[in-house]
Amino acid sequence: ESGEARFTGLAPGPYRVSILAKSYDELTTDIDVALTTDNNTPGASIDAILTAGSHTDSITVQGVIDTPLEEANTPAVLERQQVKNLPDRPRTVNDALPLAPGIVRLPNGQLRLSGSGEHRSALLVNSATATDPATGQFGATVPIDSVRTMSVLTSPFLAEYGGFTADVVAVETRKGGDKWTFELNDPLPEFRWRSWHMVGLRSSTPRVNFGGPIIANRLFILESVQYEMRETPVITLPFPNNESRHEGYNSLTAIDYTINASNLLTATAHVADQHTRYDNLDFFNPQPVTPDTSNTTYAGDITEHAAFHGTLLDSAVSATSFRAGVWPLGDLPMILTPAGNQGNYFSHQTRTSSRIEWRETWSLSKKFFGTHTLKLGSVVGGTTEHALINEHPVNILDSAGTLIERIQFTPGLPIARTDVESAFFVQDQWVFNPHISLNLGLRAEEQEVTDAFRFGPRAGLVIVPFGNGRTILRAGSGVFYDRVPLNVYGFALYPDQIITTYNPDGSILSGPFRYFNLTEPAAPHHSPLIYRKNGVVGNFAPYSINSNIQIEQIVSSRLRLRANYLLSHSEELIVLAPRVTDTTHAFVLNGDANSRFRQFELTAAATAGKESQIYFSYVRSSSFGNLNEFNTYLANFPPPVILPDARTFLPGDAPDRFLAWGVLTFP
């Protein structure tokens, strides 16, 4: 504590002392250890004063915000150690996300984030985009054991984030440490028990995690591998034909290499392969009506962090590939009845998509009427999709079993789409003094396939009104744009529907009518923030204007309270709706939809000791908009019937949601 170091047992003579400390210049001095006159033992002393080095290190701190120097809307942060031992045993980031306020998992497994589907949010892994460019859905998320923190940012007002109108899920993976470690989690399988007898396995989810230095102080590695086999029962169906089977593996490798004191190189490789038997099984869709599915994800990212002249430059290249397949269990027509469906699932899909991305971010700090933390950056990426979709006939029966409608399909055509995305941003976190900070930013982005150039200004304010720093007020507002998936531009190559309706006696009531797949131009828009060629098919620019106000109270070092209100109004959302005229029958994609989302959140976080933590949140939200958003019909599991569009409360709307979870440690 006094800053003194002693070395004993030295023989008299000359010595060279070298002192190294991170962020300081090395100090080297020569001394002569001689015998002391008092007790005839060797002794010598030096005063060592280290000077700050010429390089700058970047340190990222994840945790509780105690100062107003951060975002105008604080994220919900989930740490690996907090969630990995909870009773539901989350295995991936996707499993853990419903622990955050405002995120709801639907019965079909899809997530609703701030009242919206996954396609309206962004998933980032070490700042690299991890969403499927074809569907906009989240790809396979990384193993929970490889995660350091998961941050759910609801409408973050920093301009560095883009490609979303709802939430950003930012995942930071762990690094290999200075010592080798090994973990084995969930090694034992779970058995299925029925009538006091063991009937096979219900699940097996072993996870292995290890890491450490390959070259001391220079090269580190972390490896997380998990295998999963899980039988999920549907209690409304009879055993043994009431279970879907999910099986696959998930692996992440992270490597860190310290080039020198000013340069750090990091690389990650993520591979996941998952297969599901009887996917989307439920009471109305028994096993023969469900499809088998396969999803494979390959992702790699290389980032260099370079510090020079008091600034930091992050350069990164990432590449991802997604492969998805949906296969019916047979060629029988799908039969829809009020009491449940029969036959085989109607849609057969194979899809391969990819994204390659180059990111540059330059950060620096300057003093001018306070402290300015400036960040400038660019993102350039290319995406591709290759897909083929074919569909089997669908028969619709009434309660008496009489055919009332038949849907046939033309053969699907091969889909091959490409796109180039680019974005540029600048932001300034301006701290006037310890009580006031202002976040200002502007993001400009473009998708070549949409023929639209978009500007998104954002601003946030943080105030600490009292000297004790225990009360923090935050507010922000900004314009956000969705990334339009490539499936939207492959819709014209989907199978056309041929619909025939019948009288009760079996005679034709109407049809057969062929419904063509059409995509319209966006309605003329006069916003000064969007520049596009009017009349161009598919020139969509879905956007939202989000505003937020928040108050946080630090009651004590062990208890924090936070209240937050978010208002989001979205326009130009893409919907699919049938359209019938005297000359044309069609299903039309247009950008005429809108939605409104309001959410009040009250959160409390309490700690006791070093490891005990309890979280409680109450969320009251309202999500209202158009039902026929494109992702309902252009994703992996489209419904067989395209209904007329309607405006009402959206799936996942949660008027009142209470969520409590935590970890209590005992002696």
Side-chain angles (χ1 to χ4, degrees):
E1 294 180 357
S2 63
E4 184 177 277
R6 291 179 176 270
F7 297 87
T8 60
L10 300 180
Y15 287 85
R16 171 165 293 174
V17 179
S18 295
I19 303 174
L20 296 89
K22 190 175 183 179
S23 300
Y24 290 89
D25 290 333
E26 179 180 351
L27 184 147
T28 301
T29 184
D30 294 324
I31 63 172
D32 188 68
V33 176
L35 295 175
T36 58
T37 57
D38 52 356
N39 56 6
N40 204 33
T41 59
S45 65
I46 60 172
D47 291 327
I49 300 177
L50 304 186
T51 58
S54 58
H55 62 277
T56 301
D57 292 316
S58 172
I59 302 175
T60 301
V61 179
Q62 300 282 350
V64 177
I65 305 302
D66 287 324
T67 69
L69 307 181
E70 299 296 328
E71 243 268 72
N73 188 3
T74 55
V77 178
L78 304 174
E79 297 184 359
R80 165 181 172 266
Q81 293 295 341
Q82 294 173 333
V83 303
K84 77 168 189 173
N85 291 322
L86 292 179
D88 57 352
R89 299 304 233 197
R91 300 167 301 280
T92 65
V93 170
N94 189 292
D95 296 333
L97 286 178
L99 294 172
I103 297 183
V104 179
R105 188 182 304 281
L106 300 182
N108 63 4
Q110 294 295 320
L111 297 172
R112 301 291 292 189
L113 302 93
S114 295
S116 302
E118 292 180 13
H119 67 287
R120 298 187 59 191
S121 293
L123 173 64
L124 306 177
V125 178
N126 296 328
S127 299
T129 303
T131 52
D132 187 341
T135 63
Q137 305 293 108
F138 292 175
T141 52
V142 297
I144 196 71
D145 292 323
S146 67
V147 172
R148 185 179 52 163
T149 59
M150 298 166 282
S151 300
V152 179
L153 302 98
T154 303
S155 296
F157 298 107
L158 296 178
E160 62 186 283
Y161 298 111
F164 70 97
T165 54
D167 290 0
V168 172
V169 178
V171 179
E172 295 293 328
T173 58
R174 298 168 57 207
K175 312 299 180 185
D178 294 327
K179 297 181 179 179
W180 281 96
T181 59
F182 178 86
E183 273 187 14
L184 176 61
N185 294 310
D186 293 343
L188 301 179
E190 178 186 0
F191 296 97
R192 182 197 294 111
W193 294 89
R194 294 189 59 83
S195 301
W196 305 100
H197 295 280
M198 186 178 69
V199 187
L201 292 179
R202 181 176 298 280
S203 68
S204 177
T205 57
R207 312 196 310 267
V208 176
N209 178 61
F210 61 90
I214 298 177
I215 302 176
N217 301 320
R218 185 168 292 272
L219 182 62
F220 307 88
I221 188 172
L222 177 79
E223 178 67 37
S224 293
V225 181
Q226 66 180 31
Y227 167 79
E228 178 183 7
M229 186 285 293
R230 185 176 298 276
E231 302 273 1
T232 304
V234 176
I235 62 174
T236 53
L237 294 174
F239 181 83
N241 301 317
N242 69 331
E243 293 183 334
S244 62
R245 180 186 178 92
H246 179 84
E247 186 174 12
Y249 66 89
N250 199 340
S251 169
L252 184 130
T253 304
I255 297 176
D256 297 88
Y257 179 62
T258 303
I259 301 174
N260 52 49
S262 301
N263 296 85
L264 174 65
L265 193 67
T266 64
T268 60
H270 177 216
V271 179
D273 186 68
Q274 301 168 343
H275 301 266
T276 303
R277 180 77 167 169
Y278 309 125
D279 211 339
N280 278 353
L281 181 70
D282 59 30
F283 173 78
F284 290 98
N285 294 284
Q287 286 184 350
V289 191
T290 60
D292 290 348
T293 62
S294 173
N295 291 277
T296 305
T297 299
Y298 302 96
D301 178 82
I302 299 177
T303 304
E304 186 199 18
H305 311 274
F308 56 93
H309 303 300
T311 68
L312 180 65
L313 178 65
D314 290 334
S315 304
V317 175
S318 61
T320 55
S321 176
F322 304 89
R323 298 179 181 178
V326 178
W327 301 278
L329 301 183
D331 297 328
L332 296 176
M334 186 173 183
I335 301 174
L336 309 183
T337 75
N341 302 328
Q342 304 168 18
N344 299 130
Y345 186 63
F346 78 103
S347 181
H348 181 288
Q349 303 185 27
T350 57
R351 179 184 296 111
T352 300
S353 58
S354 63
R355 178 194 305 276
I356 185 168
E357 189 175 83
W358 172 32
R359 308 184 304 278
E360 293 285 345
T361 305
W362 183 45
S363 307
L364 68 157
S365 181
K366 294 294 182 181
K367 297 284 188 179
F368 182 75
F369 291 101
T371 301
H372 296 262
T373 302
L374 300 171
K375 184 176 286 189
L376 299 88
S378 64
V379 181
V380 179
T383 59
T384 63
E385 178 193 15
H386 293 83
L388 180 62
I389 298 171
N390 284 299
E391 297 175 333
H392 300 155
V394 176
N395 295 329
I396 304 176
L397 310 183
D398 63 14
S399 57
T402 302
L403 178 65
I404 59 176
E405 184 174 311
R406 180 175 175 83
I407 305 174
Q408 296 174 293
F409 299 90
T410 64
L413 298 176
I415 298 172
R417 301 293 309 191
T418 61
D419 187 25
V420 176
E421 304 172 4
S422 59
F424 306 90
F425 69 88
V426 57
Q427 67 186 37
D428 179 14
Q429 292 181 276
W430 183 5
V431 181
F432 292 94
N433 54 53
H435 296 280
I436 301 176
S437 70
L438 181 65
N439 299 332
L440 298 173
L442 178 65
R443 186 179 181 90
E445 55 189 40
E446 180 183 24
Q447 268 187 269
E448 186 179 83
V449 72
T450 67
D451 211 345
F453 192 82
R454 306 162 294 206
F455 290 95
R458 303 171 192 178
L461 177 66
V462 185
I463 300 176
V464 180
F466 308 117
N468 59 13
R470 292 181 174 270
T471 303
I472 304 174
L473 302 176
R474 299 181 175 93
S477 185
V479 179
F480 306 85
Y481 297 93
D482 272 330
R483 180 182 286 113
V484 182
L486 292 179
N487 264 4
V488 170
Y489 300 95
F491 177 60
L493 302 175
Y494 275 53
D496 293 342
Q497 293 192 14
I498 302 173
I499 300 178
T500 307
T501 59
Y502 296 87
N503 291 307
D505 61 2
S507 61
I508 294 178
L509 175 63
S510 65
F513 295 116
R514 180 171 178 173
Y515 283 71
F516 296 92
N517 300 324
L518 303 179
T519 302
E520 289 187 336
H525 192 88
H526 303 290
S527 171
L529 301 177
I530 302 175
Y531 295 87
R532 61 184 164 199
K533 296 178 181 178
N534 289 327
V536 176
V537 172
N539 58 346
F540 302 126
Y543 70 94
S544 68
I545 301 174
N546 298 349
S547 300
N548 170 84
I549 187 169
Q550 180 185 109
I551 180 171
E552 183 173 1
Q553 181 65 46
I554 305 174
V555 180
S556 68
S557 60
R558 299 186 181 275
L559 178 62
R560 303 172 74 97
L561 302 175
R562 186 169 68 211
N564 187 82
Y565 179 75
L566 173 67
L567 176 63
S568 175
H569 187 79
S570 301
E571 293 285 351
E572 296 197 32
L573 302 182
I574 306 170
V575 293
L576 177 63
R579 180 178 299 172
V580 177
T581 66
D582 293 337
T583 58
T584 305
H585 294 72
F587 294 112
V588 181
L589 277 176
N590 62 67
D592 299 339
N594 59 72
S595 68
R596 183 201 65 221
F597 178 73
R598 294 179 294 181
Q599 176 176 284
F600 171 75
E601 173 194 334
L602 182 63
T603 304
T607 61
K610 294 183 178 181
E611 298 181 3
S612 296
Q613 300 172 331
I614 292 292
Y615 295 87
F616 172 82
S617 69
Y618 165 71
V619 173
R620 182 172 180 83
S621 65
S622 173
S623 181
F624 194 91
N626 295 70
L627 288 180
N628 280 24
E629 281 200 84
F630 71 91
N631 67 298
T632 303
Y633 300 99
L634 304 185
N636 290 336
F637 304 104
V641 178
I642 300 178
L643 300 174
D645 189 26
R647 285 182 54 79
T648 183
F649 292 100
L650 298 176
D653 181 76
D656 297 283
R657 182 178 190 240
F658 295 87
L659 173 66
W661 60 274
V663 176
L664 297 177
T665 59
F666 294 90

